[in-house]
Amino acid sequence: QVQLVESGGGLVQAGDSLRLSCVASGRTFNSYPVVWFRQAPGKEREFVSVSAWGGVYAESVKGRFAISRDSTKNTVYLQMNSLKPEDTAVYYCAARWGPLYGNYDRRYEYESWGQGTQVTVSS
């Protein structure tokens, strides 16, 4: 049984940084694509970043966020810098256990999901 667990969220001030972690158990990430989505209150879940093709980012986070992985720890990270109040959301990681050919920003492409970690950025 595959399980993804996110951690690293918290309450920070605008301009601060956080690093989110997504750890997998039951399966190894290897080079499979791992994605981060986020969902703010009252809004739909939106794409943030995917580890494929060296890292793809939503325009709203480009230049501030960076996705990386540590294969020795079976963990994918999302480094978030220069945080803004509009980054406040629950952040979810998800994995696709096969090649990703496109539609990387669509939830249905990903088979395993974590439970989410809350990020709150105060102004």
Side-chain angles (χ1 to χ4, degrees):
Q1 181 178 349
V2 178
Q3 187 175 14
L4 304 185
V5 178
E6 304 95 334
S7 62
L11 171 63
V12 296
Q13 293 187 330
D16 286 350
S17 298
L18 280 175
R19 188 178 75 163
L20 305 184
S21 300
C22 175
V23 181
S25 60
R27 192 152 185 178
T28 303
F29 278 141
N30 291 324
S31 59
Y32 292 126
V34 177
V35 71
W36 288 94
F37 279 78
R38 68 186 181 186
Q39 187 165 17
K43 296 187 177 181
E44 293 201 357
R45 197 171 297 189
E46 64 174 6
F47 167 80
V48 175
S49 178
V50 67
S51 62
W53 306 296
V56 179
Y57 302 91
E59 284 298 322
S60 60
V61 307
K62 198 173 291 185
R64 299 188 297 122
F65 290 12
I67 193 168
S68 62
R69 65 170 78 213
D70 184 338
S71 298
T72 65
K73 297 181 179 179
N74 205 28
T75 300
V76 172
Y77 301 102
L78 184 68
Q79 177 68 43
M80 306 187 297
N81 300 325
S82 303
L83 283 162
K84 304 175 181 180
E86 50 264 43
D87 294 319
T88 295
V90 177
Y91 284 70
Y92 300 89
C93 68
R96 176 180 172 86
W97 307 111
L100 186 63
Y101 299 104
N103 297 324
Y104 55 83
D105 57 348
R106 304 301 170 89
R107 294 171 58 182
Y108 60 73
E109 291 286 353
Y110 303 96
E111 298 146 287
S112 299
W113 288 81
Q115 82 292 346
T117 185
Q118 176 70 47
V119 172
T120 303
V121 184
S122 63
S123 58

